[in-house]
């Protein structure tokens, strides 16, 4: 059976990989000249199994109101005359209800734990190198009020089978000595030793290369224009190459992994996918003092900023902005990330060589990816991974392949 995977971000490439490993004939298509060049390019780098709580939670609406009008707000809405944006915001508010948050957190936790096992297995079997670090994630709390929730969160994670322990400020510095030079108050932390970090782009590229060696057909610089459908059946994909030459590619089944652009492809089939782009930013800079740079990946819970060491570089990422498909880098949104690096690791990065970046998280209102059957026969979905696409990629792909083979994955998740 020939399966065509549409989109070669981390989701599409892992989907193609698991399909090939299961014996399917595979084609992978992307408009970029290689794999992982859009949202999977410069994300926070965290395999953050210990962060299953979605942004849509009971405190989100109050925080959003508090941050209103602040240019450095972790969450910013640019109201647009775009019905899709308003539909998404209303659905997001519904997902903030306590019982929805509990449901979504449990489903993400189950998928994340499984995904962590799948990633470790994939790494063991392929020997893939992607600047990975298996030293856990340390969550930092600047205020005593926020730190008080750490005990409840650690207990909740234990319930999902995720190890996390509450730490004093002194424990945090013991786990990550580079925090000893930090300016500002640290109330305490929560350490999840099973978490990891790594370069999602390197991983995606390296896996795509292996995929080519394993016999998959890779179509780069190939824009997907439409799905051809007749009587509710897909019979091909209209494409155009870099020179604008058009053609049709067909297969026995199609998997949509187009990130934030997935809804555009499915709209003509009458399917309204609840995915909206939530823009985020990162900076990456070479280290001037590697010995004083963090080794453990960090999540600043108070500032909603994450930080990962990638070889001899430091990546700092965060912020969420609802601003349509605009991927331009805004200096005022980059500045809080630079300030964070300066405050936490003074003199550690080369500030003259910072590379800023912005990407669009393909977010569903509850942060649950859409995995399973599409709206018509032969069409499958693996998309909408929001804030956790790198964390959930391997598990989502492995699960989708099981569903395509008529099996049910061994986790409690609302697959389609
Ligand atoms: C600032 C930031 C920090 C983040 N940090 C983390 C983190 O620490 N941990 C984590 O787990 N997740 C993180 N994420 C989320 C994660 O990066 C995303 O969920 C993930 O990259 C989504 O992958 P994807 O493959 O679904 O989408 P993408 O990577 O966007 O891939 C979609 C692909 O589809 C292709 N495409 C789209 N339309 C077409 C078309 N018409 N024709 C052909 N090709 C097309 C694109 O070229 C692209 O390659 C972060 C995101 C951001 C923005």
């Amino acid at each position: 059976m020939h399966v065509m995977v549409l989109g070669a971000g981390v989701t599409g490439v892992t989907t193609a990989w698991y399909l090939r490993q299961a014996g399917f004939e595979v084609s992978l298509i992307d408009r970029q000249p290689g794999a992982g060049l859009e949202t999977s390019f410069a994300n926070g780098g965290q395999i953050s199994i210990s962060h299953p709580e979605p942004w849509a939670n009971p405190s989100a609406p109050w925080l959003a109101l508090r941050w209103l009008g602040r240019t450095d707000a972790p969450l910013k809405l640019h109201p647009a005359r775009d019905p899709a944006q308003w539909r998404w915001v209303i659905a997001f508010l519904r997902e903030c209800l306590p019982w929805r948050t509990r449901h979504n957190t449990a489903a993400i936790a189950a998928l994340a734990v499984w995904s962590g096992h799948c990633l470790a297995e994939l790494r063991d079997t392929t020997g893939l190198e992607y600047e990975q670090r298996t030293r856990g994630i340390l969550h930092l709390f600047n205020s005593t009020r926020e730190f008080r929730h750490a005990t409840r969160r650690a207990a909740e994670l234990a319930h999902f089978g995720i190890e996390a322990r509450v730490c004093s400020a002194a424990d945090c510095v013991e786990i990550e000595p580079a925090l000893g030079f930090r300016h500002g108050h640290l109330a305490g932390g929560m350490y999840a030793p099973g978490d990891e970090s790594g370069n999602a782009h390197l991983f995606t590229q390296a896996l795509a290369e292996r995929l080519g060696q394993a016999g998959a057909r890779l179509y780069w610089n190939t824009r997907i224009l439409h799905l051809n459908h007749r009587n509710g059946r897909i019979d091909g994909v209209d494409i155009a190459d870099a020179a604008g030459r058009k053609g049709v590619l067909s297969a026995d089944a199609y998997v949509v992994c187009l990130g934030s652009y997935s809804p555009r492809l499915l709209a003509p089939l009458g399917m309204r996918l609840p995915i909206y782009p939530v823009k985020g930013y990162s900076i990456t800079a070479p280290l001037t003092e590697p010995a004083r740079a963090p080794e453990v990946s960090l999540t600043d819970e108070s500032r909603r900023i994450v930080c990962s060491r990638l070889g001899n570089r430091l990546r700092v990422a965060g912020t969420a902005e609802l601003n349509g498909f605009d991927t331009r880098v805004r200096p005022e949104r980059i500045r809080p990330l630079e300030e964070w690096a300066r405050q936490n690791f003074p003199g550690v990065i080369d500030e003259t060589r910072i590379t800023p970046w912005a990407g669009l998280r393909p977010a569903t209102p509850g942060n649950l990816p859409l995995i399973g059957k599409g709206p018509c026969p032969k069409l499958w979905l693996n998309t909408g991974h929001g804030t956790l696409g790198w964390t959930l990629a391997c598990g989502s792909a492995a699960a989708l392949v099981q569903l395509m083979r008529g099996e049910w994955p061994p986790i409690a998740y609302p697959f389609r």
Side-chain angles (χ1 to χ4, degrees):
M1 179 169 160
H2 177 201
V3 184
M4 193 163 286
V5 179
L6 312 179
V10 69
T11 309
V13 171
T14 47
T15 301
W17 175 259
Y18 281 92
L19 282 165
R20 188 73 197 110
Q21 293 299 300
F24 290 89
E25 194 187 327
V26 175
S27 298
L28 177 66
I29 309 180
D30 202 286
R31 61 186 169 192
Q32 297 289 347
L37 291 173
E38 296 208 358
T39 309
S40 306
F41 184 68
N43 67 19
Q46 294 192 326
I47 298 295
S48 186
I49 298 164
S50 64
H51 209 310
E53 306 87 353
W55 278 344
N57 62 58
S59 63
W62 313 116
L63 285 173
L65 281 178
R66 215 174 74 196
W67 290 329
L68 220 57
R70 264 177 51 186
T71 51
D72 65 344
L75 173 66
K76 201 163 170 55
L77 170 68
H78 295 267
R81 260 189 259 145
D82 174 5
Q85 187 189 66
W86 291 105
R87 265 197 307 273
W88 192 91
V89 170
I90 291 164
F92 178 88
L93 290 173
R94 208 169 34 235
E95 297 301 322
C96 292
L97 291 169
W99 70 272
R100 289 300 307 160
T101 304
R102 277 197 300 277
H103 166 270
N104 295 339
T105 305
I108 295 169
L111 186 56
V113 169
W114 199 48
S115 202
H117 294 309
C118 295
L119 172 64
E121 199 176 72
L122 187 151
R123 193 170 49 223
D124 286 350
T125 52
T126 58
L128 230 53
E129 293 283 342
Y130 51 93
E131 300 181 320
Q132 68 267 33
R133 275 166 200 264
T134 50
R135 301 184 60 154
I137 292 179
L138 180 59
H139 301 253
L140 305 173
F141 301 90
N142 297 342
S143 81
T144 315
R145 188 176 50 80
E146 284 163 340
F147 181 47
R148 257 188 247 124
H149 297 297
T151 309
R152 176 192 54 79
R153 273 181 60 181
E156 193 177 65
L157 290 173
H159 172 73
F160 298 132
I162 302 166
E163 186 189 348
R165 59 174 192 266
V166 177
C167 319
S168 66
D171 294 338
C172 292
V173 178
E174 199 169 305
I175 292 164
E176 179 43 75
L179 288 171
F181 303 96
R182 184 177 192 269
H183 298 310
H185 179 67
L186 178 61
M190 185 182 79
Y191 180 52
D195 282 349
E196 304 185 5
S197 59
N199 187 328
H201 174 231
L202 266 189
F203 173 89
T204 308
Q205 260 195 337
L207 196 62
E209 208 177 303
R210 297 286 180 96
L211 202 51
Q213 290 159 3
R217 268 170 274 167
L218 310 178
Y219 295 88
W220 303 129
N221 296 307
T222 304
R223 186 171 292 276
I224 297 156
L225 304 173
H226 310 282
L227 285 173
N228 282 329
H229 57 105
R230 208 179 310 151
N231 303 329
R233 283 191 165 268
I234 309 293
D235 54 18
V237 184
D238 287 345
I239 49 130
D241 68 13
R245 281 182 299 253
K246 293 195 176 161
V248 181
L249 294 172
S250 32
D252 302 309
Y254 305 84
V255 187
V256 177
C257 302
L258 295 169
S260 295
Y261 300 87
S262 304
R264 289 187 177 176
L265 193 74
L266 294 182
L269 299 180
M271 187 183 199
R272 206 185 260 172
L273 286 186
I275 295 174
Y276 196 78
V278 177
K279 187 175 179 178
Y281 292 85
S282 74
I283 56 167
T284 309
L287 299 173
T288 46
E289 288 212 46
R292 287 212 292 125
E295 298 272 356
V296 175
S297 186
L298 303 169
T299 298
D300 183 331
E301 296 282 349
S302 309
R303 302 283 303 277
R304 310 294 196 276
I305 286 175
V306 305
C307 165
S308 296
R309 177 150 175 185
L310 303 172
N312 266 340
R313 297 176 307 153
L314 199 66
R315 166 91 37 89
V316 180
T319 80
E321 206 177 293
L322 268 79
N323 197 12
F325 287 84
D326 179 358
T327 53
R328 280 172 302 180
V329 171
R330 289 165 174 253
E332 73 273 20
R333 304 293 284 163
I334 287 293
R335 227 166 284 130
L337 303 177
E338 291 171 342
E339 273 162 24
W340 188 92
R342 206 170 295 134
Q343 272 170 11
N344 286 276
F345 304 107
V348 165
I349 60 166
D350 183 346
E351 293 202 28
T352 63
R353 289 164 65 204
I354 288 177
T355 308
W357 172 84
L360 303 177
R361 301 176 183 93
T364 63
N367 211 32
L368 292 190
L370 309 172
I371 306 169
K373 285 187 173 158
C376 52
K378 303 208 291 187
L379 191 59
W380 297 82
L381 304 178
N382 189 13
T383 187
H385 289 69
T387 61
L388 287 177
W390 169 219
T391 305
L392 302 178
C394 291
S396 307
L400 183 80
V401 174
Q402 291 203 352
L403 292 168
M404 290 178 78
R405 290 162 58 138
E407 298 158 10
W408 197 255
I411 51 171
Y413 187 86
F415 295 110
R416 297 170 61 89

